[in-house]
Amino acid sequence: MTRMCVTAAAIALTAVAGLAVSPAVAEEKTVPDKVQSREFPWGTFKLAPRIIEKLKAGEKPNVVVDIEGTGIPIQGAEMRIGMQRGCDNAAAAGMPVNCRITGPVNPNTSQQLAELETLLNSAQVDCLAIQPPLPNQFINIINKYVDAGIPVYTLNIDAANAKRFAFYALNEVNAGEINGEATAELIKKNGVQVNEIAMGSGAPDQPWAQARMEGFITGYKKVFPDAKFFNDAKSGIPTGKNFTTQEVLNSVTPFLTANPQITLFFHTDQGVEGVGNVIRNLNLTGKVYTSGFNVSGPILDAIDGGTTLVTIDQGFDYQAQAPVEQCAKFLATGETPDDPLQHLRPIVITKAGGENQIDTQEGRERLKRAK
């Protein structure tokens, strides 16, 4: 630590000038060189002078978590919980920060971008964790933040071509693989006959959805190498671009009716809720099954009811928590991950739980905290 000193002569001279001076001067904090300047593959980062001065003065830096929709069910609430947990952990670790979540209530790219510009121009952000709406979207605004001397981390959806420091989310292929293997193990354990497997998505053309389908095939074939799939990862059945349950009912009901050989339907997102409803509506419980991603009360009910085998809680809270803690760590020490891809383990939910899984009761407890 360095301490600014005021000599007796200086105090005397100031007093002569008629100014009140206290001999006690506030201690100035040291900001490590690695915080002020750091090399990345894309070039040199230099922390904004205003942030350096704030750190020297012992003021709390402002960490902003900007997401595509603060009102998105489950996701928005869980990310708020994770942000606060990260904020609390940072304070406990000796680097207190001010935390704030921003973004439109519902996904609106123009509105999100405009708010980010306003935050940047008004110097309200000292470290940014951002969820771009689509992969490699918002590259320009991310680079503007970094060029202005503000560290940036991405979460949930990456902008790998931007100057972001690191990315926090699931490894989509691996998460799909874990789902596929867990599903197959339950099929095997329960002695269920699966004739053919179909896969669908609300966004079958998106890389994340295709990665989950690719992983599901790999994981399932670890247990059943000769499993027959109706479609592949590039040809997922579209179930509704707005990700609503009604869209899934409208699309999957005629599909399963026309394809009675399909006895397992994997869905890449919350559409698994609708698939469970279709199975019950068609009186196919015990004959057709589904597995998927995301969590809701009806999805957990479907697991308990036997139509849904596995769902994955993406851990939106952990995805928001991690970059908040990393922001605090960087601003304190200059440390940031050597590997920018910081993948988090998915939370696997089955009826009974098990090794590396949670049961539906624990799933409900997590869901309750997000409401």
Side-chain angles (χ1 to χ4, degrees):
M1 309 295 282
T2 60
R3 185 181 298 275
M4 295 182 66
C5 298
V6 178
T7 66
I11 293 173
L13 287 171
T14 308
V16 169
L19 299 176
V21 176
S22 170
V25 179
E27 186 177 88
E28 182 178 87
K29 295 182 178 294
T30 299
V31 180
D33 291 342
K34 287 198 305 182
V35 176
Q36 298 187 50
S37 180
R38 183 175 175 120
E39 293 297 323
F40 287 90
W42 41 260
T44 302
F45 170 78
K46 291 187 179 296
L47 190 66
R50 66 170 182 82
I51 302 176
I52 295 173
E53 292 307 312
K54 178 181 285 191
L55 296 175
K56 284 182 177 179
E59 298 176 23
K60 290 183 183 180
N62 297 324
V63 175
V64 169
V65 178
D66 187 87
I67 62 177
E68 67 169 333
T70 60
I72 295 176
I74 308 303
Q75 175 180 299
E78 283 197 355
M79 285 190 172
R80 190 180 300 277
I81 290 169
M83 176 202 69
Q84 188 57 55
R85 187 193 300 144
C87 209
D88 294 342
N89 290 346
M95 183 56 185
V97 293
N98 295 317
C99 296
R100 175 184 175 191
I101 195 162
T102 62
V105 175
N106 296 306
N108 184 316
T109 301
S110 298
Q111 187 179 338
Q112 186 180 1
L113 187 59
E115 185 175 24
L116 285 165
E117 291 279 6
T118 298
L119 290 168
L120 175 61
N121 294 333
S122 56
Q124 296 183 49
V125 186
D126 301 322
C127 188
L128 176 68
I130 181 173
Q131 178 195 29
L134 293 171
N136 277 316
Q137 201 168 19
F138 284 11
I139 289 175
N140 289 340
I141 190 66
I142 290 173
N143 288 349
K144 284 177 72 172
Y145 267 79
V146 173
D147 291 343
I150 301 168
V152 177
Y153 297 88
T154 52
L155 65 141
N156 189 253
I157 297 173
D158 197 14
N161 294 334
K163 298 177 183 178
R164 53 93 167 112
F165 286 21
F167 168 56
Y168 294 87
L170 297 182
N171 178 321
E172 302 290 11
V173 174
N174 177 253
E177 185 174 336
I178 288 171
N179 190 312
E181 187 170 5
T183 297
E185 290 290 357
L186 284 172
I187 291 289
K188 182 177 181 180
K189 178 181 177 180
N190 296 330
V192 173
Q193 176 64 40
V194 172
N195 300 320
E196 194 169 355
I197 304 161
M199 300 182 295
S201 174
D205 59 331
Q206 290 298 311
W208 60 266
Q210 294 183 1
R212 291 178 186 178
M213 287 186 278
E214 175 190 337
F216 184 85
I217 294 171
T218 300
Y220 195 89
K221 285 192 171 183
K222 284 183 178 180
V223 182
F224 296 108
D226 298 325
K228 184 178 180 182
F229 281 80
F230 177 86
N231 55 324
D232 62 21
K234 300 291 186 182
S235 57
I237 296 159
T239 62
K241 64 180 181 179
N242 293 313
F243 299 92
T244 66
T245 299
Q246 188 59 53
E247 286 175 317
V248 177
L249 292 173
N250 294 343
S251 57
V252 177
T253 298
F255 174 78
L256 287 182
T257 301
N259 294 278
Q261 80 280 10
I262 301 298
T263 47
L264 177 61
F265 192 108
F266 170 70
H267 202 288
T268 66
D269 46 77
Q270 62 264 29
V272 68
E273 178 179 319
V275 179
N277 289 345
V278 171
I279 292 170
R280 289 192 298 276
N281 293 345
L282 294 177
N283 295 317
L284 294 174
T285 301
K287 299 176 183 178
V288 179
Y289 301 85
T290 185
S291 286
F293 275 71
N294 295 345
V295 62
S296 68
I299 291 173
L300 295 173
D301 290 343
I303 293 176
D304 285 336
T307 57
T308 302
L309 298 173
V310 178
T311 197
I312 284 184
D313 177 341
Q314 297 189 56
F316 293 121
D317 51 339
Y318 297 120
Q319 293 183 39
Q321 174 186 342
V324 168
E325 293 177 359
Q326 184 58 62
C327 275
K329 181 183 290 186
F330 178 82
L331 292 173
T333 67
E335 294 180 41
T336 204
D338 291 331
D339 184 350
L341 299 179
Q342 295 292 295
H343 290 134
L344 308 175
R345 183 173 179 81
I347 301 167
V348 182
I349 305 176
T350 59
K351 184 174 183 178
E355 185 177 0
N356 295 321
Q357 299 178 1
I358 65 173
D359 61 20
T360 50
Q361 181 56 41
E362 192 170 350
R364 286 190 175 86
E365 290 300 319
R366 281 184 52 79
L367 188 60
K368 189 185 300 181
R369 290 193 293 270
K371 290 186 176 180

